[in-house]
């Protein structure tokens, strides 16, 4: 008996536990094959940064070749390691690099909105094979079908199928057990299980199954995960997706305003212009509230 069916969302996994400080030497086991992959894609990576991230042209960069060669030299040096130990004992094929680390905090920006946008994911776009077969746009290659795999998590009661069937049979066969039921006129009646509406029957069954699980198995639920695949129609009207994009972009506008008014407040700190300071604080609070509201909605 399934209590809830949901999806397994993004999770944070701790890969390593410890105290990390920039003045403590840290050992990094380097995989030379991984470095070779970085070297092969190095020029493409720098070009992507210049043209996509910085929105400039490679031809306008006066030192593109010098930076490319410097990065190449550093990666080649990384493959050799910098310690006398050489190879890593418990990780064959890797070399050791020891230095004071650079500590960064990494975060995925607007993870769920970006998942929705990249897959054009929306409730009305979830379709079946039969729906696509009857669609007038259905071609041989089915280019408008986007198949997305996702992980479903089922919360199951510990009671087995036979346990649930036995409990249901007991409820249906009992003539002495009565349940309070409010009819359409608002009158309270005491009826048997078979006279209850389907929704009330399900509630009584679940309550009895919960009681049985606690008594028989000393545990209420167990979780089961499975990978599923659904079809996302790419021709569906994009109203939902466009709304998510607008909310995401508007939140970044408000976050930018928070930074702007924070700088404005710092500019007036230490002066006698209390009105300007008060105005900056009010605008910071307003825009921070708006960006937080958009985050909660998303």
């Amino acid at each position: 008996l399934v209590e809830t069916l949901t999806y397994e969302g993004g999770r944070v996994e701790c890969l390593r536990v410890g105290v990390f400080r920039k003045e403590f030497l840290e050992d990094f086991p380097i995989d030379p094959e991984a470095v070779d992959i970085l070297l092969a894609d190095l020029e493409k990576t720098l070009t992507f940064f210049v043209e996509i991230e910085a929105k400039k042209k490679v031809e306008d960069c006066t030192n593109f070749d010098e930076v490319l060669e410097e990065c190449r030299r550093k990666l080649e040096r990384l493959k050799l390691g910098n310690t006398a130990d050489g190879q890593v004992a418990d990780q064959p094929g890797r070399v050791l690099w020891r230095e004071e680390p650079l500590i960064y905090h990494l975060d995925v920006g607007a993870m769920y909105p970006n998942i929705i946008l990249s897959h054009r994911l929306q409730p009305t776009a979830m379709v079946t094979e039969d729906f696509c077969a009857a669609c007038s746009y259905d071609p041989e290659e089915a280019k408008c079908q986007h198949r997305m795999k996702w992980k479903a998590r089922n919360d199951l009661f510990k009671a087995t199928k036979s346990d649930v069937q036995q409990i249901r049979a007991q409820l249906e066969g009992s003539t002495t057990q009565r349940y309070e039921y409010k009819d359409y006129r608002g009158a309270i009646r005491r009826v048997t299980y078979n006279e209850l509406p389907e929704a009330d029957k399900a509630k009584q069954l679940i309550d009895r199954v919960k009681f049985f699980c606690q008594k028989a198995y000393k545990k209420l639920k167990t979780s089961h995960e499975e990978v599923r695949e659904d079809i996302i129609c790419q021709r569906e009207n994009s109203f939902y997706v466009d709304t998510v994009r607008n909310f995401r972009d508007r939140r970044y506008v408000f976050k930018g305003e928070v930074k702007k008014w924070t700088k404005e407040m710092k500019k007036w700190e230490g002066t006698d212009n209390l009105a300007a300071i008060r105005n900056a604080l009010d605008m910071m609070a307003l825009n921070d509230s708006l960006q937080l509201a958009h985050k909660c909605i998303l």
Side-chain angles (χ1 to χ4, degrees):
L1 185 62
V2 178
E3 184 189 31
T4 56
L5 169 61
T6 183
Y7 64 92
E8 186 67 32
R11 69 171 73 180
V12 177
E13 294 185 0
C14 183
L15 302 179
R16 186 175 172 189
V17 178
V19 177
F20 304 99
R21 294 181 55 165
K22 64 181 181 180
E23 64 266 28
F24 290 177
L25 286 175
E26 186 68 28
D27 290 340
F28 297 95
I30 305 298
D31 184 356
E33 292 183 0
V35 178
D36 287 335
I37 295 174
L38 294 177
L39 283 166
D41 294 337
L42 182 58
E43 185 171 358
K44 189 189 303 181
T45 302
L46 291 181
T47 303
F48 176 86
F49 173 79
V50 173
E51 295 182 348
I52 306 300
E53 298 289 338
K55 293 181 173 54
K56 304 292 183 181
K57 292 183 179 180
V58 174
E59 296 78 15
D60 297 336
C61 297
T62 57
N63 62 340
F64 182 85
D65 294 333
E66 290 83 349
V67 173
L68 177 64
E69 193 58 35
E70 182 183 358
C71 292
R72 196 185 306 278
R73 283 199 305 270
K74 289 183 176 181
L75 288 172
E76 292 286 357
R77 180 71 183 88
L78 198 63
K79 290 171 57 177
L80 303 177
N82 67 345
T83 65
D85 303 337
Q87 300 289 322
V88 182
D90 57 343
Q91 300 182 51
R94 300 203 172 196
V95 298
L96 198 63
W97 187 275
R98 180 177 296 141
E99 69 176 1
E100 294 179 354
L102 299 174
I103 299 176
Y104 290 92
H105 171 78
L106 301 179
D107 187 22
V108 179
M111 181 174 69
Y112 287 113
N114 285 328
I115 291 174
I116 291 171
L117 297 177
S118 60
H119 294 279
R120 287 179 63 89
L121 188 60
Q122 48 191 351
T124 55
M126 307 285 287
V127 296
T128 62
E129 295 279 5
D130 294 337
F131 181 92
C132 290
C135 178
S136 58
Y137 291 103
D138 182 41
E140 292 79 6
E141 299 179 1
K143 294 181 179 179
C144 54
Q145 293 181 6
H146 172 62
R147 296 181 180 271
M148 186 184 76
K149 291 184 178 180
W150 58 285
K151 187 179 289 186
R153 188 178 75 238
N154 304 304
D155 289 336
L156 311 171
F157 289 110
K158 289 290 289 182
T160 63
K161 183 178 180 179
S162 60
D163 292 333
V164 175
Q165 289 175 341
Q166 186 176 359
I167 293 170
R168 182 185 284 112
Q170 290 174 355
L171 291 171
E172 291 174 347
S174 174
T175 56
T176 57
Q177 179 101 23
R178 298 282 173 166
Y179 305 91
E180 289 189 352
Y181 165 63
K182 183 184 290 188
D183 61 19
Y184 67 94
R185 292 171 299 195
I188 303 296
R189 297 169 50 206
R190 294 184 61 81
V191 298
T192 63
Y193 178 81
N194 293 321
E195 295 175 292
L196 288 171
E198 289 300 322
D200 291 344
K201 281 184 181 180
K203 182 178 182 302
Q204 293 298 331
L205 177 62
I206 289 175
D207 289 343
R208 187 66 67 89
V209 169
K210 286 181 179 179
F211 180 77
F212 174 81
C213 291
Q214 293 287 11
K215 287 292 184 181
Y217 297 102
K218 308 299 181 185
K219 187 177 179 182
L220 188 60
K221 294 181 298 182
T222 183
S223 294
H224 170 70
E225 293 182 356
E226 60 178 335
V227 176
R228 298 186 180 184
E229 183 179 85
D230 279 313
I231 301 174
I232 314 299
C233 177
Q234 301 299 292
R235 290 184 180 272
E236 182 61 44
N237 187 286
S238 61
F239 170 77
Y240 180 88
V241 175
D242 293 340
T243 302
V244 171
R245 180 184 292 107
N246 291 336
F247 264 86
R248 182 201 63 178
D249 295 344
R250 197 177 302 132
R251 182 188 171 220
Y252 287 139
V253 171
F254 292 131
K255 289 183 74 173
E257 288 294 308
V258 172
K259 293 179 181 179
K260 168 189 167 183
W261 287 104
T262 301
K263 292 179 181 178
E264 192 72 14
M265 188 198 66
K266 290 180 179 179
K267 184 176 76 173
W268 295 107
E269 278 183 347
T271 66
D272 295 333
N273 196 338
L274 299 180
I277 295 174
R278 181 73 258 175
N279 181 59
L281 289 171
D282 289 344
M283 295 302 295
M284 284 172 54
L286 173 64
N287 286 284
D288 195 41
S289 298
L290 288 170
Q291 74 86 12
L292 185 59
H294 280 68
K295 180 179 181 179
C296 293
I297 293 170
L298 289 171

